[in-house]
Short mmCIF file of all heavy atoms in Angstrom, two decimals:
data_model
loop_
_atom_site.label_atom_id
_atom_site.label_comp_id
_atom_site.label_asym_id
_atom_site.label_seq_id
_atom_site.Cartn_x
_atom_site.Cartn_y
_atom_site.Cartn_z
N MET A 136 92.62 113.53 90.15
CA MET A 136 91.64 112.83 91.01
C MET A 136 91.85 113.14 92.51
O MET A 136 91.07 112.68 93.34
CB MET A 136 91.75 111.32 90.81
CG MET A 136 91.52 110.85 89.37
SD MET A 136 90.01 111.50 88.64
CE MET A 136 88.82 110.53 89.52
N ALA A 137 92.90 113.90 92.83
CA ALA A 137 93.21 114.19 94.24
C ALA A 137 92.34 115.34 94.73
O ALA A 137 92.81 116.44 95.02
CB ALA A 137 94.69 114.50 94.40
N VAL A 138 91.06 115.05 94.82
CA VAL A 138 90.03 116.06 95.09
C VAL A 138 89.20 115.55 96.28
O VAL A 138 88.87 114.38 96.36
CB VAL A 138 89.14 116.22 93.83
CG1 VAL A 138 87.92 117.03 94.13
CG2 VAL A 138 89.95 116.81 92.68
N SER A 139 88.90 116.47 97.19
CA SER A 139 88.07 116.15 98.34
C SER A 139 86.76 115.51 97.89
O SER A 139 86.14 115.97 96.94
CB SER A 139 87.79 117.47 99.10
OG SER A 139 86.94 117.23 100.16
N GLY A 140 86.40 114.40 98.56
CA GLY A 140 85.16 113.69 98.21
C GLY A 140 85.44 112.47 97.34
O GLY A 140 84.68 111.50 97.37
N ASN A 141 86.53 112.50 96.56
CA ASN A 141 86.95 111.31 95.84
C ASN A 141 87.52 110.30 96.83
O ASN A 141 87.71 110.62 98.01
CB ASN A 141 88.01 111.64 94.79
CG ASN A 141 87.41 112.18 93.50
OD1 ASN A 141 86.18 112.28 93.37
ND2 ASN A 141 88.28 112.56 92.59
N SER A 142 87.84 109.11 96.35
CA SER A 142 88.48 108.14 97.24
C SER A 142 89.89 107.84 96.73
O SER A 142 90.24 108.18 95.58
CB SER A 142 87.65 106.88 97.31
OG SER A 142 87.51 106.35 96.03
N LEU A 143 90.67 107.22 97.61
CA LEU A 143 92.06 106.89 97.26
C LEU A 143 92.10 106.00 96.01
O LEU A 143 92.96 106.16 95.17
CB LEU A 143 92.69 106.16 98.44
CG LEU A 143 94.21 106.13 98.49
CD1 LEU A 143 94.80 107.53 98.54
CD2 LEU A 143 94.67 105.33 99.70
N ASP A 145 90.36 106.19 93.47
CA ASP A 145 90.26 106.98 92.24
C ASP A 145 91.65 107.41 91.75
O ASP A 145 91.89 107.47 90.53
CB ASP A 145 89.38 108.23 92.48
CG ASP A 145 87.95 107.87 92.79
OD1 ASP A 145 87.46 106.87 92.25
OD2 ASP A 145 87.29 108.60 93.56
N VAL A 190 89.96 104.95 101.33
CA VAL A 190 89.57 106.08 102.18
C VAL A 190 89.11 107.27 101.34
O VAL A 190 89.57 107.46 100.22
CB VAL A 190 90.72 106.54 103.11
CG1 VAL A 190 91.11 105.45 104.08
CG2 VAL A 190 91.93 106.99 102.32
N LYS A 191 88.21 108.03 101.94
CA LYS A 191 87.73 109.26 101.28
C LYS A 191 88.81 110.33 101.42
O LYS A 191 89.41 110.49 102.48
CB LYS A 191 86.45 109.74 101.94
CG LYS A 191 85.23 108.95 101.54
CD LYS A 191 84.58 109.51 100.25
CE LYS A 191 83.56 108.54 99.66
NZ LYS A 191 84.13 107.61 98.65
N LEU A 192 89.04 111.05 100.36
CA LEU A 192 90.04 112.13 100.38
C LEU A 192 89.44 113.38 101.02
O LEU A 192 88.27 113.70 100.78
CB LEU A 192 90.47 112.43 98.94
CG LEU A 192 91.08 111.22 98.21
CD1 LEU A 192 91.45 111.60 96.78
CD2 LEU A 192 92.27 110.65 98.93
N LYS A 193 90.28 114.05 101.84
CA LYS A 193 89.78 115.22 102.57
C LYS A 193 90.80 116.35 102.46
O LYS A 193 92.02 116.11 102.38
CB LYS A 193 89.73 114.89 104.07
CG LYS A 193 88.55 114.10 104.50
CD LYS A 193 88.50 114.18 106.03
CE LYS A 193 87.87 112.93 106.58
NZ LYS A 193 88.17 112.75 108.00
N PRO A 194 90.33 117.62 102.55
CA PRO A 194 91.26 118.73 102.62
C PRO A 194 92.23 118.53 103.78
O PRO A 194 91.80 118.11 104.85
CB PRO A 194 90.36 119.94 102.85
CG PRO A 194 89.02 119.53 102.33
CD PRO A 194 88.93 118.06 102.61
N ILE A 237 95.72 118.17 99.19
CA ILE A 237 94.29 118.23 98.83
C ILE A 237 93.69 119.42 99.60
O ILE A 237 93.82 119.49 100.82
CB ILE A 237 93.60 116.92 99.19
CG1 ILE A 237 94.21 115.79 98.34
CG2 ILE A 237 92.09 117.02 98.98
CD1 ILE A 237 93.74 114.41 98.71
#
Side-chain angles (χ1 to χ4, degrees):
M136 302 308 287
V138 169
S139 177
N141 278 357
S142 59
L143 200 59
D145 294 328
V190 297
K191 283 273 167 268
L192 302 178
K193 282 193 209 162
I237 297 173

